[in-house]
Amino acid sequence: MGDTNSDAETLLHFEAVERRYGARGEVIAVGGVTCRIARGSFVALVGASGSGKSTLLKMVNTLVEPSAGRVLFGGKDVTELKPSTLRRRVGYVFQGIGLFPHFRVGENIAIGPRLAGETLSPERIAELLTLVELEPEMADRMPDELSGGQRQRVGVARALAGDPELLLMDEPFGALDPITRDALGERVRELHEEFGLTTIMVTHDMAEALLLADRVLVMDAGRLVADERPSALLAGKGGAIAQRLVAVPRDQAEKLAALEQRIARKTHASSPSSGEGAAS
Ligand code: ADP
Ligand code: MG
């Protein structure tokens, strides 16, 4: 595994973290995960549905408490940090949309600071909307007056409202069309650089993980089974489970390339006299 980060640059440290459910703890959602996340890195967390990705993320911001082990944030056990401190330092984009339907967009963005007893100025809300490439006027809209992509952008703006060090995103773009999804993924990567964030993004899409992240963690049945850079995964490292996930976008790309070749050959054969019709 590629865990080469020294203590000095570790922002987040999972220490043999476990979470069990059920009366006798028979459901193991997360079964002993140990890893360090370096400050400034963009990490993708991938794995099949039910492999424990959301549970692992929720243990960082104490929405879920570990059954064993610890999560250290800046060297401190997250369960010993003040909830208000943790909320401020960790931005969270929920799985699904997660906006309050009866609050305006601006109020949704300001909710975190408001819970901490602060108000965001209209200027700051406008600035956050601009960061996620939305019109400042959107602040007055209701969530159901926005498209899915716009709502997801508001979710990102809300997560950034407290000026966090760590950004956690749980399948943020799962429900979006591919073009919106690509654009938003790239914008999030830019924001990550711009603000020097440390980002963990849960996704079940290996192509998205390979394209956006510096490092890909793969979970299976509650365990971390691979921890590699995208280049290493593409070179065949990370083991069988990781490679099965890599095979999905690769097979698709190969099939598309083969189809394009077939079409090009056919077009070429049927119009020998001129290239004009062939370009379409
Ligand atoms: P993922 O996000 O990778 O889809 P989750 O972390 O949501 O996976 O869930 C991991 C496992 O833990 C699943 O088997 C799920 O059913 C179980 N689980 C998660 N939360 C609970 C809960 N509150 N009560 C009981 N089981 C849970
Ligand atoms: Mg999940």
Side-chain angles (χ1 to χ4, degrees):
M1 296 212 179
D3 189 6
T4 52
N5 316 307
S6 75
D7 248 350
E9 54 179 3
T10 297
L11 180 63
L12 201 61
H13 187 181
F14 296 95
E15 255 186 6
V17 179
E18 260 184 55
R19 174 66 204 203
R20 294 163 175 270
Y21 288 104
R24 294 172 307 284
E26 67 277 13
V27 179
I28 303 174
V30 172
V33 165
T34 294
C35 95
R36 291 167 188 270
I37 308 292
R39 192 180 287 277
S41 56
F42 194 119
V43 176
L45 182 57
V46 302
S49 174
S51 57
K53 308 181 297 295
S54 294
T55 305
L56 190 65
L57 217 58
K58 285 176 185 163
M59 287 192 283
V60 175
N61 61 2
T62 65
L63 288 175
V64 168
E65 213 182 310
S67 312
R70 305 189 294 172
V71 182
L72 304 174
F73 179 58
K76 296 201 181 71
D77 189 330
V78 289
T79 61
E80 284 159 19
L81 288 171
K82 279 205 329 220
S84 58
T85 306
L86 198 64
R87 253 203 311 267
R88 164 117 296 173
R89 294 176 67 187
V90 182
Y92 187 65
V93 182
F94 293 81
Q95 184 164 10
I97 299 287
L99 298 182
F100 295 100
H102 305 302
F103 287 174
R104 292 184 188 284
V105 163
E107 294 166 329
N108 264 287
I109 290 175
I111 194 92
R114 201 171 124 198
L115 288 171
E118 292 164 38
T119 35
L120 282 191
S121 67
E123 292 75 27
R124 175 68 178 147
I125 291 172
E127 184 183 64
L128 287 160
L129 283 167
T130 308
L131 278 181
V132 295
E133 297 173 328
L134 291 176
E135 299 298 325
E137 294 72 42
M138 290 240 172
D140 294 326
R141 296 237 200 125
M142 299 306 284
D144 68 2
E145 296 168 333
L146 304 183
S147 71
Q150 289 169 332
R151 268 179 265 177
Q152 242 7 6
R153 286 177 190 270
V154 174
V156 174
R158 179 172 62 185
L160 295 175
D163 204 7
E165 288 162 69
L166 177 64
L167 180 61
L168 305 176
M169 297 189 289
D170 197 346
E171 298 196 26
F173 318 132
L176 303 178
D177 68 85
I179 291 172
T180 307
R181 189 183 175 117
D182 263 19
L184 205 44
E186 272 162 31
R187 185 63 196 137
V188 163
R189 178 76 220 205
E190 286 167 7
L191 291 168
H192 166 89
E193 304 295 340
E194 224 169 294
F195 292 102
L197 296 169
T198 304
T199 302
I200 307 180
M201 181 181 73
V202 171
T203 173
H204 53 241
D205 182 342
M206 183 54 107
E208 187 173 73
L210 291 168
L211 290 169
L212 290 179
D214 306 314
R215 183 173 163 203
V216 181
L217 305 180
V218 181
M219 286 189 78
D220 181 63
R223 297 198 165 265
L224 204 57
V225 295
D227 175 356
E228 299 288 353
R229 293 183 165 279
S231 55
L233 285 171
L234 289 168
K237 297 209 175 75
I241 292 166
Q243 284 304 314
R244 266 206 300 279
L245 293 168
V246 173
V248 176
R250 179 181 280 146
D251 287 354
Q252 210 174 20
E254 281 168 6
K255 281 178 194 156
L256 271 178
L259 177 61
E260 272 176 340
Q261 262 180 11
R262 271 205 306 280
I263 292 169
R265 269 201 302 272
K266 227 188 257 173
T267 313
H268 190 69
S270 64
S271 61
S273 56
S274 130
E276 251 172 72
S280 65

